Amino acid sequence: MILDPVPPYWPSYFRVKFATAPWERRACAALRRQVFCTEQGIFSGDDRDAVDAQAIPICALSTLGGQPDAVVGTVRIHEVTERPGEWWGSRLAVAPAFRRTAALGVGLIQVAVSSAHARGCTRFLAHVQERNVALFRSLDWTSLDEVALHGRPHHLMQADLAAYPPMHDPEHGLVKLRRAA
């Protein structure tokens, strides 16, 4: 009926890729601050650290009319200089309104591990908050240890690289269709 409320716009797909444009990088940083500083209170003011100087930011973009609209998820990856082949993922964050979109976290993890794999990764690790361990296990990750970081329980986890074929074009990334969790 004409007087029925119009449902809010919801993107039908998301693009997950390296954050290459300046606005994408700024939006990734803002989302991390929102999640890790404001929402979770893990850091005060900003969550940036020395890793950011060498890390590659990855973003999940919502789309509007087929064009990138906003960064709704992010993660960063980096190779450990002292241990060539060892890569880490960290600061995985998804905007609150999009957390029930299963494709976002999965897509961010997929691009993170597969792009590192294409760059010579032989071991991919992450400290995963306790509440996200089940998701990572379902994506072929193994828990190596339980640790406390920033006063919260985490697992040191390792990806099974056989489940993540190398992605040689992460600047364009992949498209994930919207699916609710």
Side-chain angles (χ1 to χ4, degrees):
M1 173 158 238
I2 199 156
L3 299 177
D4 287 341
V6 176
Y9 171 77
W10 193 259
S12 59
Y13 72 90
F14 302 88
R15 178 165 298 281
V16 183
K17 64 182 215 54
F18 279 9
T20 54
W23 76 268
E24 293 169 343
R25 289 175 172 269
R26 285 191 304 270
C28 286
L31 178 57
R32 284 175 38 185
R33 275 191 305 277
Q34 174 193 346
V35 171
F36 297 114
C37 299
T38 305
E39 181 184 329
Q40 294 184 8
I42 294 174
F43 303 101
S44 177
D46 198 359
D47 74 314
R48 293 187 57 82
D49 60 18
V51 170
D52 285 302
Q54 66 188 40
I56 301 168
I58 298 170
C59 60
L61 299 167
S62 64
T63 57
L64 180 61
Q67 296 299 311
D69 178 50
V71 170
V72 296
T74 188
V75 68
R76 67 180 181 181
I77 61 171
H78 76 283
E79 184 174 22
V80 178
T81 308
E82 315 73 59
R83 294 185 295 282
E86 182 177 305
W87 284 71
W88 281 76
S90 56
R91 302 294 203 272
L92 176 66
V94 174
F98 293 88
R99 290 196 183 138
R100 296 203 46 83
T101 305
L104 290 181
V106 171
L108 287 162
I109 294 164
Q110 183 179 357
V111 171
V113 180
S114 293
S115 62
H117 196 181
R119 286 163 172 70
C121 175
T122 56
R123 186 173 195 214
F124 195 98
L125 301 165
H127 285 115
V128 177
Q129 289 187 15
E130 179 75 41
R131 66 179 173 212
N132 298 320
V133 168
L135 170 65
F136 279 76
R137 282 190 172 131
S138 75
L139 297 173
D140 297 302
W141 286 63
T142 303
S143 178
L144 304 176
D145 195 12
E146 293 182 34
V147 296
L149 292 174
H150 310 292
R152 297 188 176 175
H154 286 70
H155 283 236
L156 171 61
M157 298 191 79
Q158 181 172 337
D160 177 357
L161 292 177
Y164 296 90
M167 174 184 281
H168 297 285
D169 191 16
E171 293 78 11
H172 291 97
L174 53 87
V175 171
K176 295 300 273 184
L177 297 178
R178 174 178 56 109
R179 284 192 323 235

